[in-house]
């Protein structure tokens, strides 16, 4: 992928910069419950302030479906950002219109203005040209540091950069593109891809794009049950994509006898009779009638950990069990611990995988934990991200 113009190379002194950030954070009784994404963009803000820029910050929060919803206001984010950024922060209750334009033009060098939730306007997700023009109107330069939204062609990610030049990548965006790009362009072998999550169908593009590069796929989560069923193993009452069994068989056939292995669970932690209060462990890859799989079993976890110990590059995308439930968290925890203790380059996809690693307290021991679940999946599947394509190429 072509390198993008960096925020480090902007001449932003005194200029109004429209900076798209990803402050889609959980709220807890009117306060920010997890400020990871707010902190992730702080280096870019610090750099822009050092350059003397006047910075307009724009983000979405939740899914207000194009209507104002005070429960999804960015006011709590403004409060937390002000604490983290050391003041010099203003909040505007609008994101387009005269109040916004006046507030933006009144900014001093090094000051920040956070706009209200972009998705209070349906025009944001529709990439409406007039809405994009209204967002861009007072500004001169564009920076995108919101990798988590880069796979969406919205007004703030695709429309505004078409109107403002230069359009540069923030430091977080750069780090995401660099770390994920190395998995596609120059992974060091042995290269493992650990895949979990609910659906095989969600990972088809990823598997096909990585198959020529990966030495082995280690598969758990609910998607493993579809692949096991396609192989003829009994999976009890476990979740299976019945309409994707032929596709699963095709995938297994394509890797048979080739350079790329597929490792499926050898045992499982199960809910006996589908009752989550009755937890057991199978002795093999099959699951009995009425039982449902909830996690990879201990033998599988150790086998996967042994492969990780010998790897040079590992991508992990998708939890290997229902990690939010203590009874089904051991598999994902063991994999996270193996990665944390390994010398390999460890790249963790965003979304639930990042949440799992964070819940185990191991985020800082990974090479890179992505801030974008959907964006990282699409990038690694070989798709073009509109929010990245809209940025200027590096000179």
């Amino acid at each position: 992928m072509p390198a993008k113009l960096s925020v480090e190379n902007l001449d932003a002194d005194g200029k109004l910069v429209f900076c798209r950030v990803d402050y889609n954070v959980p709220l807890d009784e009117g306060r920010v419950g997890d400020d990871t994404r707010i902190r992730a963009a702080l280096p870019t803000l610090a750099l822009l302030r050092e350059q003397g820029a006047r910075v307009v910050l724009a983000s979405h929060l939740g899914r207000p479906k194009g209507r104002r919803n005070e429960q999804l206001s960015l006011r709590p984010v403004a409060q937390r950002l002000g604490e983290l950024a050391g003041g010099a922060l203003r909040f505007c209750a609008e994101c387009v219109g005269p109040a916004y334009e006046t507030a933006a033009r009144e900014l001093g060098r090094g000051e920040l203005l956070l706009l209200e939730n972009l998705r209070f306007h349906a025009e944001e997700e529709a990439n409406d040209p007039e809405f994009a023009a209204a967002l861009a109107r007072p500004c001169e330069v564009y920076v995108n540091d919101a990798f988590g939204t880069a796979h969406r062609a919205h007004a703030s990610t695709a429309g505004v950069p078409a109107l403002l030049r230069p359009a540069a990548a923030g430091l977080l965006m750069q780090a995401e593109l660099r770390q994920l790009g190395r998995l596609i362009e120059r992974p060091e072998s042995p290269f493992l891809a650990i895949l979990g999550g609910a659906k095989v169908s969600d990972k088809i593009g990823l598997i096909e794009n990585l198959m020529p590069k990966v030495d082995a796929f280690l598969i758990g989560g609910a998607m493993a049950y579809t692949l096991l069923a396609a192989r003829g193993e009994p999976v009890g009452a476990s979740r299976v994509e019945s309409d994707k069994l032929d596709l699963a068989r095709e995938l297994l056939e394509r890797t048979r006898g080739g350079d790329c292995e597929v490792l499926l669970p050898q045992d499982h932690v199960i809910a006996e009779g589908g009752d989550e209060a009755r937890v057991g462990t199978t002795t093999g890859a099959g699951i009995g009638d009425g039982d449902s799989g909830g996690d990879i079993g201990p033998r599988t976890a150790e086998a996967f950990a042994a492969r990780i110990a010998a790897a040079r590059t590992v991508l992990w995308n998708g939890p290997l069990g229902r990690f939010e439930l203590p009874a089904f968290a051991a598999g994902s925890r063991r994999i996270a611990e193996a990665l944390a203790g390994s010398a390999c380059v460890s790249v963790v996809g965003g979304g639930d995988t990042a949440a799992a690693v964070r819940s185990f307290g191991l985020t800082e021991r990974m090479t890179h934990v992505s801030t974008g679940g959907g964006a990282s999946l699409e990038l690694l599947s070989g798709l073009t991200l509109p929010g990245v394509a809209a940025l200027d190429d590096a000179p």
Side-chain angles (χ1 to χ4, degrees), residues 18 42 56 196 257 265 274 312 315 343 355 377 393:
F18 186 97
L42 289 176
V56 173
R312 299 296 299 168
L315 165 68
L377 180 60
D393 290 343

Side-chain angles (χ1 to χ4, degrees), residues 70-93:
E70 293 304 322
Q71 299 300 312
L72 295 175
S73 172
L74 282 165
R75 284 185 184 277
V77 173
Q79 179 179 345
R80 183 60 182 143
L81 177 60
E83 295 167 355
L84 293 171
L89 172 73
R90 306 180 190 182
F91 177 74
C92 182

Side-chain angles (χ1 to χ4, degrees), residues 193-265:
I194 305 169
L195 304 182
K199 298 180 179 179
V200 173
S201 55
D202 289 344
K203 301 292 195 300
I204 293 301
L206 177 64
I207 293 170
E208 291 184 337
N209 197 46
L210 293 184
M211 196 175 289
K213 307 173 179 69
V214 165
D215 294 285
F217 289 103
L218 281 53
I219 298 180
M223 65 180 289
Y225 308 131
T226 298
L227 289 164
L228 286 167
R231 201 175 69 178
E233 294 282 358
V235 294
S238 305
R239 181 175 179 176
V240 171
E241 289 182 276
S242 300
D243 60 335
K244 297 296 186 295
L245 288 173
D246 287 342
L247 180 61
R249 291 187 190 98
E250 180 186 341
L251 283 174
L252 292 172
E253 184 62 33
R254 285 173 60 184
T255 58
R256 186 172 290 118
D259 296 329
C260 176
E261 297 180 79
V262 173
L263 280 66
L264 294 174

